[in-house]
Amino acid sequence: MEKDKKESKNNMLPLEVMREISLRLPINQLTDRIWKNVTSDRSFAKTHYERSLAPTHRYIFIPQYTNLHVSLDLDALSQDIDADASAATITKIPPCPPLKDKTKGPDDNYSIILGSCRGFIALYIHPDSFVIWNPLTGSYRTISCNHIADFTDIPAIYTFSGDILFGFGYDAIRDDYLVILFWNHKETRQGHFDFFSLRSNSWSSFEDDVAIPDHLQRRKNRASMLFYNGAIHWLSHVGNATGTIIVFDASQRIFSEIPVPEEAARKCMDGNLRELGGCLAFYYEKDNVDGGLGTSVTIWVMREYNVHSSWTSYEIPTGYFEPFWLSENGDFIGFDDFPGMATYNVNGELLFRFDRSLHRYSCATCAVYTESLLSLPNDGSEEEEGSSSGVKDS
């Protein structure tokens, strides 16, 4: 009875007032059915994502040799300074539906996290599909890429080789999400630049109207991807030549480049891109120049976007460190060469380590994402969610 009275009282609030209150709440407080009429509005989901005063961030990863999906609340994690922080406890989340096929063997039924964009996770599903998935809402779309002749030649590893470049981003002008593939034909070595539009539900080609940088076509190594500041970024390296960050504006459909610092240009071949503290960043292992044993990890953070002089470097004195978050205190949080997670300050000093139970997991692929209620184009229309055919335009 009291519950009914409480709901009745809240339902007396004008819908517009409920909407304005909801826009200021974190997503984890929007699950009550009192707000159902507000949060189910597609325009609300977009406004909440863009204007939320308290966005929630999570770190998702798939432990090696499993299809288990694990996530961490990064906001809670970065605010807790206790070495036995309960916030570091892992949360298991159901995998996206395409991974539930139990008829396949373990070598043929695995996924790779490739990146994130606006609350959606991009997954590669072996052998020839992608899935765009919102872990919060459970909505997803499956995309076939079997039109690429030598795509299935990719070995069962947890990253792509230099022959195939993957991108995932949002086109704000067309309100569309794009899955991008740049690939070289195995025999002719001709480069192809294709994209899948989730709005049109089909593959097309950029080759006729986009000038593809020579650096992109000549690269041999894998290229770490990040959707940031409205554009897809790749950390690319060509043989012994200098590295660079290739930028593709998903809305304007143009390429540009951001030079990496000179001292990092020949060392970032195996580097990875990250967004740290709201800034573009990358990191790589570095040989110990002081003559000591082991290596260190160098983290470069671009404090002001596309301003070369704002690159700032930090050294973490450990042989392995995968930073994935920069706390409000300015400390790096990530996995190091000990079980669990660790926090280092900007001077490279180890502050503390988190929950030892994480030693059970060997992180294979991962992404940081901002939770959202957003849905993909055409979700809820006559196109059945998860049924994309991925047929390429002729």
Side-chain angles (χ1 to χ4, degrees), residues 320-338:
Y320 170 79
F321 186 65
E322 292 269 351
F324 56 77
W325 193 245
L326 190 63
S327 72
E328 293 180 357
N329 296 327
D331 301 322
F332 295 103
I333 300 176
F335 287 95
D336 65 2
D337 50 6
F338 287 88

Side-chain angles (χ1 to χ4, degrees), residues 45-77:
K46 183 177 181 180
T47 305
H48 185 274
Y49 180 82
E50 295 173 349
R51 289 175 44 191
S52 176
L53 300 178
T56 55
H57 307 89
R58 299 196 72 88
Y59 174 75
I60 184 172
F61 63 97
I62 302 177
Q64 198 168 13
Y65 309 122
T66 76
N67 278 326
L68 176 68
H69 290 62
V70 175
S71 72
L72 294 164
D73 183 339
L74 292 176
D75 302 293
L77 189 64

Side-chain angles (χ1 to χ4, degrees), residues 271-343:
N272 289 285
L273 285 173
R274 285 286 189 270
E275 179 182 344
L276 296 175
C279 300
L280 180 65
F282 69 95
Y283 67 95
Y284 55 85
E285 293 185 10
K286 177 183 176 183
D287 293 334
N288 194 324
V289 296
D290 296 328
L293 298 176
T295 60
S296 63
V297 173
T298 300
I299 304 173
W300 286 93
V301 179
M302 194 175 224
R303 293 295 181 181
E304 187 174 351
Y305 185 69
N306 210 13
V307 177
H308 189 76
S309 60
S310 71
W311 279 117
T312 306
S313 67
Y314 304 92
E315 296 290 325
I316 307 297
T318 181
Y320 170 79
F321 186 65
E322 292 269 351
F324 56 77
W325 193 245
L326 190 63
S327 72
E328 293 180 357
N329 296 327
D331 301 322
F332 295 103
I333 300 176
F335 287 95
D336 65 2
D337 50 6
F338 287 88
M341 294 178 294
T343 297

